[in-house]
């Protein structure tokens, strides 16, 4: 289908209208002329002419697409396509409930900045505009990049289903470049001070969570989901076999996300002793075999410490006691995990062992995140270089 060159007229201020004529053939063979109009903004007559030509080319591309890809004309709206895709993945077992909730959240963010058109009519320009408006609205580059890549994933699915002929997101249309963020761990002095503070407090689920973060590198969901079934007090080992994640505001218990996440972590004698005392005082037995199904940081009725409670409590605690990380920001519960990793590397534990204890899938991840960002390690390296260079 071809459109006429198009005429333009100024409606008001900088708003113009382009009008095009095209022909269609009815079932009886008769040819009919039809018109279509598009409004747009332009600062001058020359810009308006350029935009008129661009719109005509876009209309002709869409018409050609409908001829080449018949399914494109019947393509669902972007919102319906994405949500059906996500729900279908959950139903088929491809993703878990936590990932399902995450994908829906990404889709909602996309639709906040993307016009809900047929999936076949999404253009690269629309995606670029979405990225720009998200950044302008204050969203972090990581968030914008996740939304961009989520949309790209859905568009690839649309292409496979025949709704679009070619991917509108090309190599020239990339997500925002991510900024490297150094881990906000604790330096040695702050780590010792934190331990001194909780040593003066009674053992509670909150203080034990801190000790599990500092002394075993547990993530929030791993500490909360730790069950007595996987605590070996005799040998001083905890086993990460399940976590409690959030899915749309609802806690979901599941296994670790990756095979590397299933790991056995040795704990120090002091923490072993404190866990034994908690088992006896709260649950009435040091024999953890009698506590099957109960959470270490929970109560004897089977309830567990909630994510939000642990996160908020630690932030309030850190602000109250002036616990700041190496980046200068107030420490979070995740800062304890960062501290655990840098402490091990600083002490000379080999990177492969640290990676396995952290649950990283490869050593490169551990080295990229921690080995090059520890200020004390860099200072020590500088001292070694100075000593070597001074030798004659």
């Amino acid at each position: 289908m071809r459109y006429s060159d198009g005429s333009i007229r100024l409606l008001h201020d900088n708003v113009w209208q382009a009008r095009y004529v095209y022909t269609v053939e009815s079932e009886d063979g008769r040819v009919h002329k039809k018109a279509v109009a598009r409004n747009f903004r332009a600062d001058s007559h020359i810009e308006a002419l350029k935009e008129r030509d661009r719109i005509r080319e876009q209309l002709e591309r869409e018409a050609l697409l409908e001829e080449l890809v018949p399914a494109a004309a019947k393509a669902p709206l972007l919102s319906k396509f994405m949500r059906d895709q996500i729900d279908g993945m959950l139903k088929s077992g491809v993703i878990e409930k936590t990932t399902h909730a995450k994908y829906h959240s990404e889709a909602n963010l996309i639709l906040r900045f993307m016009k809900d058109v047929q999936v076949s009519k999404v253009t690269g320009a629309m995606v670029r505009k979405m990225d720009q408006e998200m950044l302008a609205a204050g969203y972090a580059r990581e968030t914008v990049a996740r939304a961009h890549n989520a949309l790209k994933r859905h568009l690839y699915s649309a292409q496979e289903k025949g709704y679009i002929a070619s991917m509108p997101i090309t190599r020239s249309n990339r997500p925002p470049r991510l900024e490297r963020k150094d881990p906000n761990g604790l330096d040695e002095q702050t780590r010792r001070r934190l331990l001194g503070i909780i040593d003066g407090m009674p053992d509670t689920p909150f203080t034990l969570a801190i000790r599990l973060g500092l002394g075993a590198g547990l993530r929030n969901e791993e500490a909360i989901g730790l069950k007595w079934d996987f605590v070996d007090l005799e040998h001083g080992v905890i086993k990460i076999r399940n976590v409690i994640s959030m899915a749309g505001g609802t806690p979901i218990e599941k296994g670790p996300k990756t095979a590397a996440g299933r790991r056995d972590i040795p704990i120090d004698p002091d923490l072993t002793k404190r866990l034994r005392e908690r088992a006896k005082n709260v649950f009435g037995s040091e024999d953890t075999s009698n506590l099957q199904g109960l959470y270490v940081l929970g109560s004897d009725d089977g309830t567990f410490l909630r994510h939000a409670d642990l996160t908020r409590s630690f932030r309030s605690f850190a602000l109250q006691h002036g616990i700041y990380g190496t980046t200068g920001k107030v420490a979070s519960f995740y800062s304890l995990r960062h501290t655990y990793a840098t402490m091990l590397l600083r002490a000379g534990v080999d990177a492969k062992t640290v990676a396995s204890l952290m649950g990283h899938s490869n050593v490169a991840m551990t080295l990229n995140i921690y080995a090059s960002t520890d200020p004390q390690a860099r200072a020590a390296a500088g001292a070694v270089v100075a000593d070597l260079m001074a030798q004659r």
Side-chain angles (χ1 to χ4, degrees), residues 4-151:
S4 65
D5 290 342
S7 60
I8 59 171
R9 62 180 179 130
L10 180 64
L11 298 179
H12 58 82
D13 296 332
N14 291 328
V15 178
W16 297 71
Q17 183 179 82
R19 189 173 183 272
Y20 310 87
V21 177
Y22 64 98
T23 58
V24 294
E25 185 176 344
S26 60
E27 294 180 357
D28 59 6
R30 294 182 180 181
V31 175
H32 304 274
K33 285 189 175 183
K34 293 191 175 184
V36 62
R38 293 287 187 271
N39 294 347
F40 59 90
R41 288 186 173 275
D43 294 330
S44 67
H45 187 265
I46 293 177
E47 286 187 13
L49 289 173
K50 290 180 179 179
E51 183 63 13
R52 176 203 64 180
D53 293 342
R54 190 199 66 78
I55 294 173
R56 186 187 69 250
E57 290 174 1
Q58 178 65 29
L59 289 171
E60 290 182 345
R61 279 198 300 270
E62 291 176 359
L64 179 61
L65 176 62
E66 291 183 6
E67 292 176 9
L68 296 176
V69 188
K74 299 179 180 179
L77 291 176
L78 178 62
S79 58
K80 181 176 183 353
F81 182 81
M82 289 194 297
R83 288 164 181 160
D84 286 350
Q85 284 287 112
I86 296 167
D87 292 343
M89 286 190 285
L90 177 66
K91 187 175 180 180
S92 62
V94 175
I95 59 175
E96 297 180 336
K97 288 183 179 180
T98 49
T99 306
H100 177 260
K102 174 187 173 184
Y103 282 1
H104 266 299
S105 178
E106 291 171 346
N108 290 337
L109 178 59
I110 291 168
L111 293 168
R112 209 174 300 161
F113 292 90
M114 172 78 74
K115 187 176 180 181
D116 192 15
V117 297
Q118 283 182 295
V119 68
S120 58
K121 295 184 178 179
V122 174
T123 65
M126 293 169 66
V127 179
R128 281 191 294 272
K129 183 180 178 184
M130 178 191 76
D131 292 346
Q132 293 166 0
E133 291 185 353
M134 280 187 189
L135 290 171
Y139 284 91
R141 287 176 175 268
E142 292 85 351
T143 303
V144 179
R146 280 197 299 270
H148 178 106
N149 291 327
L151 178 58

Side-chain angles (χ1 to χ4, degrees), residues 307-317:
H307 277 257
D309 291 341
L310 177 56
T311 301
R312 284 196 296 262
S313 295
F314 188 85
R315 179 171 177 79
S316 298
F317 174 86

Side-chain angles (χ1 to χ4, degrees), residues 192-243:
R192 291 174 180 268
R193 185 163 66 86
L194 173 58
L195 282 173
I197 293 170
I198 61 175
D199 280 348
M201 301 169 62
D203 286 336
T204 64
F206 174 67
T207 60
L208 288 174
I210 293 176
R211 294 181 187 279
L212 287 168
L214 273 181
L218 266 57
R219 301 176 175 92
N220 184 313
E221 61 267 26
E222 292 172 341
I224 290 171
L226 181 63
K227 288 184 173 181
W228 289 108
D229 311 46
F230 307 120
V231 176
D232 183 350
L233 294 176
E234 181 179 353
H235 297 96
V237 174
I238 57 176
K239 303 176 181 181
I240 305 303
R241 297 293 185 271
N242 63 299
V243 302

Side-chain angles (χ1 to χ4, degrees), residues 154-176:
H154 288 300
L155 292 177
Y156 270 125
S157 296
Q159 186 178 11
E160 291 175 357
K161 294 179 182 297
Y163 290 134
I164 58 178
S166 61
M167 168 58 66
I169 302 180
T170 62
R171 288 185 177 181
S172 62
N173 190 355
R174 296 178 179 177

